[in-house]
Structures are given as C-alpha cells and as structure tokens.
C-alpha cells in the first residue's frame, strides 16, 4: 500500500510541469496560447520566462492582476521571449497560475517547442527545456495541416447549420409579425372608415 501511494506521489510530482496549451494547432491559424505554471516547492514562484518558438509570431498578452510582463525582441522586431514577474507574493506551493498570449502560427511550422524558466522566491530557477522524456521537459504544440480557417478558437468561423437555421427562423418570425401588424392596422382603418361613413339617424 505504501509503495502504491509513493508511486502516485511521484507521478503527481512528475505531471506538475509548466505546459502550454493547446497541444495542437493548425498551420497559419491565430491562437490563444495558455502557459500553465504550477508551483512545486514551499517557496513561491515569482517569475516565469517563456521563449517564443520560431514558428509562431506572438503579438498580444492578456493582463494578469499582480503580475507584470516584459518582452524581448529580435533583430527583425519579432518577440522572442516574454517574462512575467510577480508584484505580490507570486504563486504559493499549492497554487498554479495561467498566463495567456495571442499569436499566429507560421504556415510552414511543424511543431512549437516552448522553453520555460520558472524562478522561485529562494532564487532557484527551474528550466523546463528538456526532451519529452526528460525530468523537466519543454512543452510542445504539434502543428497540424491548415484548415482553411485562419482563426483559432472559433474566431471568424463560418456559421454552423444550426446557427443558419436560427437566422432563417428569426427572419420568418419578423416577416410574420410585420404582416400581422399591417393587417391589424388595415382592419382598424377600415373600421374607422365605416364609422365615419355610417349615416346619422334622424
């Protein structure tokens, strides 16, 4: 029993890696990438640096309360890394944080290897830069074939059949309501005409 608990304990620690979502993205698509950072020590995580792979052009970052970020650019003005720094206590030993950024996957990209550097309040820096089977692996996003829709996460996607059906249904309802109102107005007008033309009795 003890051996089983020990095995699960080690498995839990091993799975607590810095990861980047999504795990798959189409070539040429716009994506929101989420960097998930768990703390694995009693010391707090106070800084997270992520190297931006060559196969993606990151352009925007989501603000995060109690954290600031700095970007580093290369010679071609492309963002090559981003560093988030805690302005407060950071991420405690039982906490995790998510940091989001938006970018476009290159048309010729095959995979995106995200190398991350996690700094703790005691000064230790954990480098998540290894191979997939390493103790501290870099997170990898596999790049799939282009889908023809250049927007990730459903942005700019064509309307689904159900949505199109809803649009047509709304159009029919609007037409029906308009005709009903027009008919009612015509009836009221006819009634007024009849009452006006009705001869007065001596």
């Amino acid at each position: 029993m003890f051996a089983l608990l020990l095995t699960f304990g080690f498995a839990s620690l091993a799975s607590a890696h810095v990861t980047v979502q999504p795990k798959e993205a189409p070539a040429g698509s716009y994506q929101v990438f989420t960097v998930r950072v768990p703390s694995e020590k009693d010391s707090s995580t106070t800084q997270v640096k992520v190297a931006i792979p060559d196969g993606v052009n990151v352009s925007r970052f989501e603000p995060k309360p109690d954290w600031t970020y700095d970007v580093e650019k290369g010679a071609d003005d492309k963002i090559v890394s981003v560093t988030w720094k805690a302005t407060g206590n950071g991420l405690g030993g039982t906490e995790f944080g998510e940091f989001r950024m938006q970018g476009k996957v290159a048309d010729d990209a095959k995979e995106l290897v995200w190398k991350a550097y996690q700094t703790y309040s005691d000064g230790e820096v954990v480098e998540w830069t290894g191979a997939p089977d390493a103790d501290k692996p870099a997170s990898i996003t596999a790049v799939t074939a282009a889908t023809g829709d250049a927007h990730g996460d459903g942005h700019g996607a064509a309307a689904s059949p159900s949505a199109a059906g809803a649009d047509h249904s709304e159009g029919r309802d609007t037409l029906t309501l308009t005709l009903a109102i027009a008919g009612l107005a015509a009836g009221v007008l006819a009634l007024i005409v009849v009452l006006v033309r009705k001869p007065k009795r001596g």
Side-chain angles (χ1 to χ4, degrees), residues 135-168:
D135 291 337
K136 297 177 177 62
S139 186
I140 297 177
T141 298
V143 179
T144 59
T147 61
D149 173 18
H151 296 76
D153 297 330
H155 298 302
S160 64
S162 59
D167 290 342
H168 288 309

Side-chain angles (χ1 to χ4, degrees), residues 181-197:
I181 293 174
L184 180 61
V188 171
L189 181 60
L191 180 60
I192 293 173
V193 171
V194 170
L195 291 175
V196 170
R197 291 184 177 179

Side-chain angles (χ1 to χ4, degrees), residues 110-197:
K110 301 302 180 185
E111 67 175 13
L112 307 176
V113 180
W114 305 91
K115 294 184 177 182
Y117 306 84
Q118 182 178 11
T119 301
Y120 286 91
S121 58
D122 62 3
E124 180 183 1
V125 179
V126 179
E127 299 184 0
W128 301 96
T129 59
D133 58 350
D135 291 337
K136 297 177 177 62
S139 186
I140 297 177
T141 298
V143 179
T144 59
T147 61
D149 173 18
H151 296 76
D153 297 330
H155 298 302
S160 64
S162 59
D167 290 342
H168 288 309
S169 177
E170 290 177 4
R172 288 194 298 270
D173 291 344
T174 301
L175 178 60
T176 301
L177 180 61
T178 301
L179 292 176
I181 293 174
L184 180 61
V188 171
L189 181 60
L191 180 60
I192 293 173
V193 171
V194 170
L195 291 175
V196 170
R197 291 184 177 179

